């Protein structure tokens, strides 16, 4: 540990890491210069993302653990020292002040999102009476604020901000301009309104990704960083939601003991405000705790990849054994597409968490099994949807499902080809990374088509 009052510089930290590797060089055959280049590249990328030098070094060493066993040993043996250097750094560096400012800004935006979702109630539109309005506009209450957080954090140029504002304004217009047919007494959303509610967040999440990646959105690495963020954010949001559910359960229980029904407060205030506020809190946590959370998501990916692969292989085997067709009603179709989306998410995150320079291993073989199984399952679903349309005609849900499954089919098919080439030593893993990141705008484009074109095309039903 450095002497009191002395700030450990980045070069001193790198020298500590370099000295450790030199001592072990006689035991392990390593190229220290090459590893140092990788380390400095990681530090530079993290520095561009807004991290201080101390923070960037800590996160980069953690990430280098995936590339080199000795770096992993160094991170483990020196983790306490590195953490103390990070959190006890002199105030002159400004890192603690930035961290506090980030937390304050994120908290204020979370409160703003909670307030925003209650503003319509001031005009008489309560959550129960305006279910359709809230469903279509839920993402608009929070994602512009999340995008604003990243615009502020990345210090994006005004011209980029203008395009982001135009995108959100257009989304607000198309979410509310159409005269959607109401569900009558049941209050159910029309098919096109439900599709808008489902697809608008997808398109806007990619817009948010442009703000997250900033100037690096045009690069594979920038888009891959957003994929990592998305996976890590999902984990944090689910954890927050589970914790919130437990909190509400215990709170309702203790208030019930004094004969007070607190459920109306939960439904009207705590739940909607918590849903949108947690988005900002989760995003801030991912940004603030990257070195911790990035160890969780790859573990979950490795845990669930074999489980989902086994489920899909069993499903396809049963399908062949029984000779039954897929019953494509609405609920089954939604569940089927969600399964394929989860599989795609597992593929995306495993690609983002893997070092492209490492040779193929057993997990890569398992990934190919998952991708090929999902590809076959998607083809079966696509065939069933096409048959359903041929027999009963076009509906908004069937056409949307047809397009989404076709897009997934193309993605999975070429991913399988690239992954198999990599396993056979005839292609690089980076080509798979580039394919996945280049394909992201296709999902956003289809989501935008569903939101903009489907309601008038199908008579707003």
């Amino acid at each position: 540990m450095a002497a009191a009052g002395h700030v450990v510089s980045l070069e001193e930290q790198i020298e500590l890491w370099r000295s450790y590797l030199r001592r072990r060089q006689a035991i392990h055959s390593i190229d220290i210069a090459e590893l140092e280049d990788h380390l400095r590249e990681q530090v530079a990328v993290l520095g561009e993302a807004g991290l201080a030098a101390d923070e960037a070094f800590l996160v980069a060493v953690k990430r280098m653990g995936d590339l080199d066993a000795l770096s992993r040993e160094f991170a483990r043996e020196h983790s306490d020292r590195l953490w103390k250097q990070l959190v006890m750094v002199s105030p002159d560096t400004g890192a603690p002040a930035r961290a506090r400012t980030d937390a304050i800004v994120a908290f204020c935006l979370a409160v703003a999102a909670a307030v925003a979702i209650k503003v319509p109630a001031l005009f008489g539109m309560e959550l129960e009476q305006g279910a359709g309005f809230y469903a279509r506009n839920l993402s608009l209450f929070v994602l512009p604020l999340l995008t604003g957080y990243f615009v502020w954090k990345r210090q994006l140029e005004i011209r980029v901000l203008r395009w982001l504002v135009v995108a959100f304004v257009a989304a607000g217009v198309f979410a509310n301009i159409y005269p959607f047919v109401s569900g009558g007494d049941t209050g159910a959303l029309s098919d096109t309104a439900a599709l808008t509610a489902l697809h608008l967040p997808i398109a806007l999440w990619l817009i948010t990704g442009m703000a997250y990646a900033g100037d690096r959105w045009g690069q594979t690495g920038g888009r891959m960083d957003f994929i990592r963020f998305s996976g890590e954010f999902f984990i944090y949001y689910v954890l927050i939601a589970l914790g919130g559910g437990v909190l509400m359960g215990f709170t309702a229980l203790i208030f019930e003991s004094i004969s007070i029904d607190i459920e109306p407060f939960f439904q009207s205030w705590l739940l909607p405000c918590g849903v949108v506020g947690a988005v900002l809190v989760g995003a801030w946590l991912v940004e603030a705790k990257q070195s911790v959370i990035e160890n969780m998501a790859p573990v979950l990916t490795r845990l669930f990849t074999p489980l989902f692969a086994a489920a899909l292989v069993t499903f396809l085997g049963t399908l062949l054994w029984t000779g039954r067709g897929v019953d494509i009603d609405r609920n089954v179709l939604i569940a089927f597409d969600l399964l394929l989306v989860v599989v795609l998410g597992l593929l995306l995150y495993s690609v983002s968490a893997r070092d492209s320079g490492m040779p193929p291993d057993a997990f890569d073989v398992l990934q190919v099994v998952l991708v090929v199984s999902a590809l076959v399952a998607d083809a079966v679903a696509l065939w069933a949807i096409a048959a359903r349309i041929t027999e009963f005609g076009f509906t908004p849900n069937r056409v949307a499902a047809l397009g989404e499954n076709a897009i997934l089919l193309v993605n999975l098919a070429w991913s399988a080809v690239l992954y198999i080439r990599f396993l056979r030593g005839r292609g690089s893993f980076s080509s798979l990374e580039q394919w996945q990141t280049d394909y992201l705008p296709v999902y956003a484009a289809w989501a935008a088509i569903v939101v903009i074109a489907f309601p008038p095309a199908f008579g707003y039903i």
Side-chain angles (χ1 to χ4, degrees):
M1 185 68 188
H6 173 63
V7 178
V8 181
S9 69
L10 175 62
E11 292 303 322
E12 288 174 312
Q13 291 173 322
I14 292 179
E15 178 58 34
L16 177 66
W17 169 84
R18 192 189 299 118
S19 298
Y20 180 86
L21 264 59
R22 286 199 193 103
R23 291 196 302 270
R24 306 298 301 276
Q25 195 170 21
I27 303 174
H28 299 269
S29 177
I30 55 175
D31 186 341
I32 296 177
E34 182 179 355
L35 290 176
E36 184 177 344
D37 287 341
H38 284 294
L39 179 64
R40 290 185 180 276
E41 287 174 6
Q42 287 283 344
V43 170
V45 169
L46 292 166
E48 291 176 2
L51 272 67
D54 302 83
E55 297 173 310
F57 177 76
L58 177 60
V59 177
V61 168
K62 290 283 189 181
R63 290 184 176 177
M64 286 290 292
D66 294 331
L67 177 65
D68 174 67
L70 286 181
S71 292
R72 184 164 58 250
E73 292 176 13
F74 174 84
R76 183 174 59 250
E77 294 181 15
H78 293 73
S79 58
D80 289 342
R81 181 188 301 178
L82 291 171
W83 177 250
K84 289 176 182 177
Q85 290 174 359
L86 176 61
V87 300
M88 297 180 66
V89 66
S90 168
D92 293 340
T93 63
R98 277 196 302 274
R100 284 193 298 271
T101 302
D102 284 356
I104 292 170
V105 171
F107 177 77
C108 290
L109 290 173
V111 173
V115 171
I117 202 168
K118 294 302 297 180
V119 167
L122 298 177
F123 300 93
M125 186 173 291
E126 295 291 343
L127 189 61
E128 295 79 6
Q129 290 79 28
F133 170 82
Y134 282 100
R136 297 194 310 272
N137 291 277
L138 182 60
S139 57
L140 291 168
F141 287 115
V142 62
L143 291 186
L145 294 171
L146 179 60
T147 302
Y149 174 68
F150 291 132
V151 168
W152 168 78
K153 193 170 176 63
R154 308 290 190 257
Q155 299 181 346
L156 299 184
E157 298 177 1
I158 295 297
R159 61 179 181 83
V160 177
L161 179 59
R162 289 197 193 101
W163 282 110
L164 294 173
V165 170
V166 168
F168 279 107
V169 169
V173 169
F174 285 109
N176 296 281
I177 196 173
Y178 294 132
F180 293 103
V181 178
S182 65
D185 296 335
T186 63
L189 295 177
S190 66
D191 287 345
T192 51
L195 288 172
T196 296
L198 288 172
H199 288 78
L200 188 62
I202 298 173
L204 294 183
W205 187 250
L206 268 294
I207 298 298
T208 304
M210 295 179 185
Y212 176 86
D215 296 335
R216 299 179 63 242
W217 178 255
Q219 305 170 19
T220 299
R223 296 191 298 272
M224 192 59 73
D225 283 344
F226 178 62
I227 291 173
R228 294 189 185 98
F229 166 81
S230 299
E232 294 158 4
F233 167 80
F234 176 76
I235 293 172
Y236 260 133
Y237 192 85
V238 169
L239 292 175
I240 293 171
L242 291 174
V246 172
L247 172 64
M248 288 193 296
F250 277 113
T251 305
L253 186 63
I254 60 177
F255 272 89
E256 185 180 352
S257 67
I258 57 175
S259 301
I260 294 180
D261 182 13
I262 201 171
E263 186 175 346
F265 170 74
F266 284 166
Q267 293 179 347
S268 299
W269 287 91
L270 188 59
L271 188 59
C273 293
V275 165
V276 294
V279 173
L280 275 304
V281 175
W284 167 73
L285 285 172
V286 173
E287 285 285 279
K289 306 295 183 183
Q290 288 186 38
S291 60
V292 178
I293 187 63
E294 75 172 2
N295 293 327
M296 290 176 58
V299 170
L300 293 176
T301 301
R302 286 183 173 269
L303 173 64
F304 283 103
T305 292
L307 296 177
F308 275 91
L312 282 172
V313 169
T314 303
F315 166 75
L316 293 173
T318 305
L319 193 70
L320 290 174
W321 180 263
T322 61
R324 296 180 179 178
V326 178
D327 181 17
I328 300 295
D329 63 19
R330 179 171 180 169
N331 293 331
V332 172
L333 184 59
I334 292 174
F336 212 91
D337 284 345
L338 284 176
L339 173 63
L340 292 174
V341 168
V342 170
V343 170
L344 179 63
L346 289 172
L347 173 63
L348 281 171
Y349 204 82
S350 65
V351 168
S352 72
R354 190 189 191 283
D355 173 33
S356 59
M358 296 293 288
D361 56 20
F363 186 74
D364 291 305
V365 176
L366 191 59
Q367 280 282 82
V368 171
V369 172
L370 177 66
V371 172
V372 172
S373 300
L375 177 63
V376 175
D378 189 23
V380 171
L382 200 58
W383 179 270
I385 295 168
R388 192 83 170 175
I389 291 175
T390 302
E391 184 175 0
F392 298 106
F394 292 95
T395 66
N397 289 328
R398 291 173 195 151
V399 176
L402 184 69
E404 286 154 11
N405 280 271
I407 291 171
L408 280 170
L409 188 74
V410 173
N411 190 355
L412 292 170
W414 192 240
S415 296
V417 171
L418 294 175
Y419 224 138
I420 292 172
R421 284 181 181 175
F422 171 66
L423 288 180
R424 299 179 65 186
R426 297 183 178 180
S428 64
F429 193 81
S430 58
S431 62
L432 179 61
E433 287 182 323
Q434 184 173 357
W435 165 249
Q436 292 296 339
T437 58
D438 288 348
Y439 204 75
L440 288 177
V442 176
Y443 295 104
W446 176 250
I449 289 171
V450 172
V451 171
I452 296 171
F454 272 44
F458 291 95
Y460 313 106
I461 58 172

